[in-house]
Amino acid sequence: MEEQQSLLEFMLQQRGKLLDQTIAHIGLTFTSLLIAVVIGLPLGIFIARRKKAATVVLNIAGILQTIPSIALLGFMIPLLGIGPLPAITALFLYALLPIIRNTYTGINEVDANVLEAAAAMGFSKWQILTKVELPLAFPVILAGIRTATVINVGVATLAAYIAAGGLGEFIFGGISLNNTNMILAGAIPAALLAILFDFLLSRVQKINLKKIRVAVALMPFIILLLSSFYAIPSFEKNKLLAGFTPEFMGREDGYLGLKSVYKLNIRNVVISDAVMYKAAYEKKLDIISGYSTAGRLKAFDLVTLYDDKKIFPPYYAAPLIRNDVLQKYPEVKDVLNMLSGKINDSIMTELNYKVDYLKQSPETVAKDFLTKNNLYRQPRNGNKGTIRFGSKIFGEQYILINMYSMLIEGYTDLKVDTKTGLGGTKICFDAMTNDQIDMYPEYTGTGLLAILNASAKTLDHLKQNEDSVYNYVSDQFKKKYKLTWLKPIGYNNAYALMMRRQQSNELNVHSITDLTNYVNENQK
Amino acid sequence: MIEARNISKKFKQQTAVDAISFTVNESENFVLLGTSGCGKTTTLKMINRLIEPTDGEIFINQKNIRDENAETLRRSIGYALQNTGLFPHYTVAENIAVVPKLFKWSKEKIRSRVEELMSKLHLSKEYYNTYPNELSGGQQQRVGLARALAADAAILLMDEPFGALDPITRTHVRNDFKNLEEFKKKTIVLVTHDVQEAFDLADRICLMDKGKIIQVGTPATLLFKPANEFVQQFFNEQRLQLEYKSVTLKMIWNFLNDGVDDKSLLKEITSGKNIWQVLENFSLNDEAMLVRNNGVTKKINYASLMKAFNDYKRAN
Ligand SMILES: Nc1ncnc2c1ncn2[C@@H]1O[C@H](COP(=O)(O)OP(=O)(O)OP(=O)(O)O)[C@@H](O)[C@H]1O
Ligand SMILES: [Mg+2]
């Protein structure tokens, strides 16, 4: 009950955003649907008359449909950038197949005798189409529109990844922040929209023959009305535009802190980190919220802005390990600490660059690094026991886990069993506490904020100092979870605001305070 | 008047209609008869350009139909088909009103015309706003006929209009149709493969086989003066009944002899009746009857009728 109440509270508190997102969601869904109807309907009519073209068109539309939505959105970025345009285009492509196919089927299913009679009565081709074929195919076409609508309501949640808004902002923000209320505040309205539109359209589908003609006439207006919900946000050229991940948007050590501590008020859109760097590089965005050691920082020639008021807590990576494992295999501790002090920010950025951008395998990158630092040893193939390593689902963690495995197998008689790709923090941490893995690399800031949920008072007390944060989480984890933080590796993968190096120089913006000043002076 | 000159229709694999010519006179009932696939429907559809001939020309009232706009042409020709082809999303009234609407008649005119046709075709008024799928097959067929007649076109094309009905309903609908004044007034080209129906409705029958016309003539001509073996064979199965149906009293007038003076008490019939109808009368009641032809009367009974009929056949 308490859960539900707090969800309601959350929704009430965020009602402004919720309304905006819902409206954007409906707008995205129906704008794309409208275009799909405008293009798909004539195309369906056309191929109903040309059987040869039909196979080709239906196959193409079918293939479009099978492209995973995230991938399709990804393809859109180089072509159309970010924002509503690529999102609507992708949604439109998804909506196309059901509409074309059902128009085609619906028209083909019209009784040949009826068509012959219509021609024999002296109907023109146009009259046959509008007075006979379309009305009779209407229920089938509507079924297609219905399918397309439901697909679009679902896929439109992904629009949040490319800065087009919609309920996905809450959903993905909630997932990243491990905030169930936020996920539900996005997911429930999205599901309700799907159910509502499906229901309404099913009612339209069931109307009797007499009203079909009225319905046929009304449909375009209704869709048009619903699409107009979406006032496309203006992307003015000469104002700085920021793109923040859904996670960043909801964090005190993120956008909220930027607003309260720096008084930064910058135009912004929500976007996924998967496409964010590229969008910045392609000048679709000017400021992004990235990770300071991201490989793409180097690949896209971006620079981080100095966090002069220290709102971003340190994210020092260190192996997090179960106490009982340390007791059982004490030799593990020193081996895992071997990496400490060997990797600083720029080295990590370089390593990430090799994996994320040059597409080298994490294993190769790990081995090369260890060899270069004279740490690599052939595996001993011992059989003293097995130790289980886990990792989150991104490149940096894969690199680390490969290094640790090589070290353990080279310096001890233990075998390593790796479980990579365990999603986010929550999954890794739960796997640890449930004794499914023994170690994974974690970040101090994550431990502090996402796992310990440190209070504002604590945060204030720690002052974002790297040592005090490390000591605090180290302490707390030992007490609460019987887990040990080994030595930090040495690099800080904290949040950072980034911009293109060239623009940073041109505008002379190198710190977040610079940015605030620039925005205040130039963008009134 | 419809005149087809050497029309052919070739589909990819085969020749459906092979250089045929025929003329249909004003207000004549012209029946295209033949086995399945012999090209009847194709021939019919060429008349309203639902199918364009590969070769040859068709004239309606001396005007080449190719020179006319196809839609205008079709609006001026009524069309009824076997599976009715009624618009399922139109009410009975709307279905009937299709062509008048194309002609932009006034609402009142359309309404009164629809009501008139519904009553003529024995469709109860309560069906005015029903949809075709709520009607029986026979009723649907009547709506189809009403639609074909609605704009009062001078020409009516019918493709097995009674073909989908059960024998009893078929006879009913056919008889009601036959009794319409339109049936007598209009130039009708009707397709059927039902020989009885052809004899029942035709002024002249056009017998087709494999895309060619084998013989054109009145029912009696086809029966008694078959052009070849095929025509003879075609009617063999039901020959006797067909003969009775195709021969009228008028045709055997000269073979009837008149022997009785007192005719006043006898039931009188017209010479337009065919032998079949007279026999039906005799089967109810064996009394002699009086035939009137051009003011002259003759008395017949079963025996004298049969004798005259046989004499007529021998003479032909
Ligand atoms: N659109 C078409 N394409 C190809 N062949 C056709 C087409 N329409 C008719 N045919 C062929 O032409 C021939 C004559 O067809 P048509 O429909 O005129 O026959 P029909 O005399 O009306 O037969 P039925 O009594 O069975 O209706 C048939 O062999 C048929 O298969
Ligand atoms: Mg036919």
Side-chain angles (χ1 to χ4, degrees), chain B residues 79-259:
Chain B
Y79 190 76
L81 63 168
Q82 175 173 1
N83 294 307
T84 71
L86 292 177
F87 301 161
H89 57 309
Y90 278 30
T91 62
V92 166
E94 287 168 335
N95 263 293
I96 298 176
V98 163
V99 186
K101 254 206 175 130
L102 289 175
F103 280 126
K104 302 201 162 57
W105 288 12
S106 73
K107 271 212 172 89
E108 305 77 63
K109 191 174 168 194
I110 291 180
R111 188 174 179 93
S112 73
R113 177 64 177 160
V114 169
E115 279 170 359
E116 178 191 348
L117 280 165
M118 284 181 69
S119 90
K120 273 188 180 171
L121 282 152
H122 308 294
L123 283 162
S124 149
K125 262 203 186 111
E126 66 189 90
Y127 296 130
Y128 196 87
N129 283 321
T130 23
Y131 287 89
N133 62 5
E134 298 162 52
L135 299 178
S136 73
Q139 287 166 330
Q140 290 181 21
Q141 206 53 259
R142 288 169 196 269
V143 177
L145 290 174
R147 179 175 69 177
L149 295 170
D152 206 14
I155 297 174
L156 192 53
L157 305 180
M158 311 177 89
D159 193 354
E160 308 200 31
F162 315 110
L165 305 176
D166 66 85
I168 296 177
T169 315
R170 186 185 317 175
T171 318
H172 276 146
V173 179
R174 195 162 74 202
N175 284 339
D176 288 340
F177 175 64
K178 246 173 89 175
N179 291 329
L180 293 178
E181 57 180 318
E182 278 86 353
F183 174 73
K184 283 147 206 154
K185 255 176 24 197
K186 289 186 191 304
T187 309
I188 297 176
V189 182
L190 183 140
V191 165
T192 184
H193 56 238
D194 176 340
V195 176
Q196 298 283 351
E197 182 164 290
F199 274 70
D200 199 17
L201 298 175
D203 290 325
R204 280 191 305 152
I205 291 174
C206 172
L207 183 64
M208 296 181 66
D209 184 42
K210 297 188 188 113
K212 289 202 178 292
I213 293 179
I214 308 300
Q215 189 174 7
V216 182
T218 60
T221 313
L222 265 65
L223 277 180
F224 302 116
K225 294 181 177 151
N228 56 27
E229 191 70 7
F230 176 84
V231 183
Q232 172 112 34
Q233 291 288 326
F234 196 86
F235 300 110
N236 262 355
E237 215 170 293
Q238 317 167 58
R239 174 164 291 278
L240 190 60
Q241 191 187 8
L242 293 173
E243 286 178 355
Y244 288 152
K245 279 192 174 166
S246 59
V247 175
T248 59
L249 290 175
K250 195 184 212 149
M251 290 157 80
I252 59 168
W253 183 256
N254 293 334
F255 300 94
L256 289 171
N257 41 19
D258 182 32

Side-chain angles (χ1 to χ4, degrees), chain A residues 153-373:
Chain A
V153 171
V155 178
T157 54
L158 298 177
Y161 272 147
I162 53 168
L167 290 161
E169 290 187 6
F170 271 159
I171 298 178
F172 296 113
I175 291 174
S176 316
L177 295 169
N178 192 15
N179 179 339
T180 314
N181 282 334
M182 197 187 245
I183 299 177
L184 292 178
I188 292 175
L192 288 179
L193 282 183
I195 294 169
L196 176 75
F197 291 133
D198 191 50
F199 172 75
L200 290 179
L201 287 169
S202 76
R203 296 310 299 263
V204 182
Q205 217 174 340
K206 285 208 194 84
I207 59 172
N208 65 29
L209 292 161
K210 199 173 297 185
K211 293 193 192 122
I212 271 185
R213 275 170 282 172
V214 183
V216 170
L218 279 181
M219 273 311 274
F221 294 105
I222 294 169
I223 297 182
L224 202 61
L225 185 76
L226 287 168
S227 353
S228 68
F229 271 27
Y230 196 51
I232 292 175
S234 56
F235 277 65
E236 296 149 80
K237 276 275 158 346
N238 47 16
K239 282 192 175 183
L240 289 184
L241 179 66
F244 298 140
T245 60
E247 178 181 11
F248 188 82
M249 289 299 289
R251 297 181 78 126
E252 203 51 55
D253 62 322
Y255 184 59
L256 302 177
L258 284 179
K259 280 203 295 194
S260 61
V261 178
Y262 282 99
K263 312 283 180 232
L264 175 64
N265 247 321
I266 188 168
R267 286 188 319 126
N268 63 74
V269 292
V270 177
I271 190 166
S272 108
D273 62 342
V275 298
M276 184 171 67
Y277 298 93
K278 190 133 196 261
Y281 172 70
E282 287 172 346
K283 303 188 180 170
K284 309 287 193 232
L285 294 172
D286 301 303
I287 312 288
I288 59 172
S289 61
Y291 295 100
S292 33
T293 59
R296 281 166 290 192
L297 197 62
K298 180 179 157 77
F300 294 123
D301 201 18
L302 305 174
V303 290
T304 58
L305 299 183
Y306 180 56
D307 176 19
D308 49 329
K309 290 186 181 165
K310 297 283 173 211
I311 62 160
F312 300 133
Y315 276 71
Y316 280 90
L320 181 62
I321 188 162
R322 295 173 57 87
N323 290 350
D324 51 352
V325 177
L326 275 184
Q327 270 157 25
K328 200 170 166 193
Y329 307 120
E331 68 269 34
V332 164
K333 184 174 176 181
D334 287 340
V335 177
L336 291 181
N337 278 338
M338 287 170 84
L339 277 188
S340 176
K342 293 282 188 307
I343 304 177
N344 63 18
D345 286 10
S346 63
I347 295 176
M348 197 65 234
T349 307
E350 174 78 28
L351 296 177
N352 281 334
Y353 171 71
K354 285 181 178 165
V355 171
D356 290 345
Y357 201 73
L358 302 180
K359 306 294 172 205
Q360 296 179 5
S361 82
E363 200 183 337
T364 315
V365 173
K367 193 171 171 182
D368 288 353
F369 175 82
L370 291 183
T371 311
K372 220 169 90 186
N373 287 276

Side-chain angles (χ1 to χ4, degrees), chain A residues 432-475:
Chain A
M432 283 277 273
T433 52
N434 289 322
D435 197 13
Q436 288 163 325
I437 56 174
D438 300 320
M439 186 284 279
Y440 77 94
E442 187 51 285
Y443 305 86
T444 51
T446 313
L448 181 68
L449 295 160
I451 300 175
L452 293 171
N453 285 316
S455 65
K457 217 175 101 191
T458 314
L459 290 179
D460 208 41
H461 178 70
L462 298 174
K463 299 219 166 21
Q464 319 292 38
N465 175 282
E466 54 187 81
D467 293 329
S468 54
V469 170
Y470 176 78
N471 291 334
Y472 179 78
V473 293
S474 192
D475 243 35

